[in-house]
Amino acid sequence: MQKTKYPLRYIRNFPCISHEEQKNLAAAKAAIVGCGGLGGFIAEELARLGVGSLTLIDGDRHEESNLNRQLTATEATLGGLKVLAAQERLAQVNSTVNVEVHAEFLTLENAPTLLAGADLVMDALDSIAARLMLEQACKDLGIPFVFAAINGWYGMLGVNYPGDERVAMLYGAADEAEQETSNPAFTPAVVASLAVAEAVKVLLNRPLSLHEAWMQIDLLNMSFDLLRFPQAPAQG
C-alpha cells in the first residue's frame, strides 16, 4: 500500500476493513470463473477493494445482447474476448492489481492449472452443469468458493468450503432442463455485490452469513431470505 502512486486509494475502506486486513487483501488471490454480468461486477469490486491478484477465466466473446447488463460490454468491445475487455478495464481502475486472464472455459482437466494458487473462487457461471463442475473442481483442489446465480428479478448465493456439496444439494442433477434466462442490469449488480461482501469475509477469516445458509433474493418484492441447509446426520 505504501508504494502506490495513489496513497489515499483505500482510505474509504477504513475502518470497515482494518489496515492489517487491507494488507491481507493485497496478498490474496481470487479466481473469477465467468466474466459476464456477474463476473464483470465481481472483478471490478474486488479490484477496487484491493485484492492483489485476480484470475479471470472465460472463453466467451461479447455480443450485442450483453450490452444491457455486462459492465465490460460496450459497443467498442463487441466481438472481443470478455477476459481481455475486463483486463483492460481493471488496469484503468487499479493498476496495482495483478490480473491474469485465460480465454478458455474451465473444465475439470484444466482447473488445477487455471485455479493454481487461488485462495478463493468466485462462481459467475450461467448454467447448472458448469456450476456443478466448478463445485467438483474446487472440492478436488481444496479451495473455497462463493456460488451465485441470477435470473430476471431473482438471485441466490452461498459459500462452499472444501468438502461441502451445497450446489449439488440446491440444484440436483446436472441434466435438469434449463430455461432461457432474462437478466436486467440491476440483478447482476446486486447479487455480485452481495457475493463480494461474503468473499471478503472468507479472505479475511471473518464470520460468514452464507455457509450454513444460502440467500434467496427477490428484487421484485425486495425480499432477502436466508434459508438454512439441513444438518448432516451425526456419525456413530
Side-chain angles (χ1 to χ4, degrees):
M1 287 192 297
Q2 304 304 318
K3 297 178 182 178
T4 178
K5 63 186 288 189
Y6 301 101
L8 301 182
R9 176 187 293 277
Y10 303 121
I11 194 168
R12 292 301 182 98
N13 284 359
F14 311 133
C16 177
I17 295 170
S18 73
H19 286 76
E20 189 61 35
E21 287 176 325
Q22 191 69 56
K23 293 178 183 177
N24 292 339
L25 289 180
K29 181 177 183 179
I32 299 131
V33 185
C35 290
L38 280 170
F41 282 103
I42 288 171
E44 178 148 331
E45 291 185 24
L46 290 174
R48 288 186 183 275
L49 280 162
V51 174
S53 296
L54 299 176
T55 300
L56 311 182
I57 303 167
D58 196 326
D60 206 0
R61 294 176 179 269
H62 277 133
E63 56 188 46
E64 188 176 345
S65 63
N66 301 151
L67 290 172
N68 80 315
R69 70 196 183 283
Q70 295 189 13
L71 196 61
T72 61
T74 68
E75 294 175 7
T77 65
L78 293 181
L81 288 162
K82 293 182 178 181
V83 290
L84 295 183
Q87 184 181 43
E88 182 177 348
R89 181 177 173 93
L90 295 181
Q92 296 172 346
V93 168
N94 190 346
S95 60
T96 69
V97 174
N98 176 50
V99 181
E100 175 186 339
V101 300
H102 298 279
E104 56 187 301
F105 296 106
L106 190 80
T107 66
L108 286 176
E109 290 69 34
N110 65 23
T113 299
L114 301 190
L115 301 180
D119 301 298
L120 175 68
V121 172
M122 303 296 293
D123 156 32
L125 294 165
D126 59 3
S127 79
I128 294 172
R131 195 165 283 113
L132 286 165
M133 178 276 299
L134 179 58
E135 176 173 65
Q136 184 61 52
C138 289
K139 181 178 179 181
D140 292 345
L141 297 169
I143 306 172
F145 83 100
V146 177
F147 59 88
I150 54 175
N151 187 357
W153 293 85
Y154 311 104
M156 63 179 295
L157 69 150
V159 177
N160 246 32
Y161 276 97
D164 295 335
E165 294 183 339
R166 309 298 197 194
V167 175
M169 189 180 299
L170 288 171
Y171 287 104
D175 60 358
E176 285 185 33
E178 296 188 49
Q179 298 180 342
E180 181 112 5
T181 62
S182 68
N183 284 308
F186 47 80
T187 309
V190 171
V191 176
S193 294
L194 294 170
V196 169
E198 203 70 356
V200 168
K201 297 176 196 174
V202 174
L203 292 173
L204 298 180
N205 293 313
R206 289 201 182 190
L208 300 178
S209 301
L210 299 178
H211 182 216
E212 300 303 328
W214 78 96
M215 178 177 282
Q216 292 281 141
I217 301 148
D218 178 347
L219 297 176
L220 185 61
N221 297 298
M222 284 300 169
S223 65
F224 298 78
D225 298 312
L226 289 181
L227 306 174
R228 296 195 65 80
F229 286 104
Q231 297 295 315
Q235 301 296 315

